[in-house]
């Protein structure tokens, strides 16, 4: 799909059309308000893919921190937290 920029007023007028284009064509729309990028309209499939990716990246970071601190005594870790 394509990525397009659209003003908030126009996005409001064409909301149904934008939803269909996001869903069926996998197009993405960056919505601007007052000249600033404020939101995005993307397909639910793309959104779910990003959610999965973010979760996988967070879990990888946790595993890496766990592996680095595996041999550190618990008391030392707790002292770092306090």
């Amino acid at each position: 799909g394509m990525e397009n920029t659209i003003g908030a007023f126009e996005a409001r007028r064409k909301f149904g059309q934008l939803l269909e284009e996001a869903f069926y064509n996998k197009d993405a729309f960056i919505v601007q308000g007052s000249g600033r990028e404020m939101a995005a309209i993307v397909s639910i499939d793309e959104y779910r893919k990003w959610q999965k990716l973010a979760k996988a990246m967070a879990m990888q970071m946790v595993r890496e921190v766990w592996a680095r601190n595996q041999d550190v005594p618990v008391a030392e870790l707790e002292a770092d937290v306090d």
Side-chain angles (χ1 to χ4, degrees), residues 11-71:
R12 188 179 309 124
R13 284 190 317 110
K14 296 181 171 181
F15 191 66
Q17 178 186 339
L18 298 179
L19 288 178
E20 287 187 8
E21 290 181 32
F23 184 78
Y24 293 110
N25 301 342
K26 305 300 184 213
D27 290 347
F29 299 90
I30 306 301
V31 182
Q32 288 185 334
S34 304
R36 289 191 331 217
E37 294 179 340
M38 299 184 78
I41 300 172
V42 297
S43 72
I44 191 65
D45 293 339
E46 196 68 23
Y47 176 76
R48 296 278 187 241
K49 197 177 350 176
W50 294 342
Q51 278 186 318
K52 274 183 158 174
L53 180 60
K55 186 176 181 177
M57 290 172 67
M59 293 305 296
Q60 181 61 34
M61 287 175 24
V62 167
R63 282 192 290 275
E64 288 172 7
V65 168
W66 181 262
R68 280 199 308 268
N69 292 293
Q70 205 169 349
D71 300 325

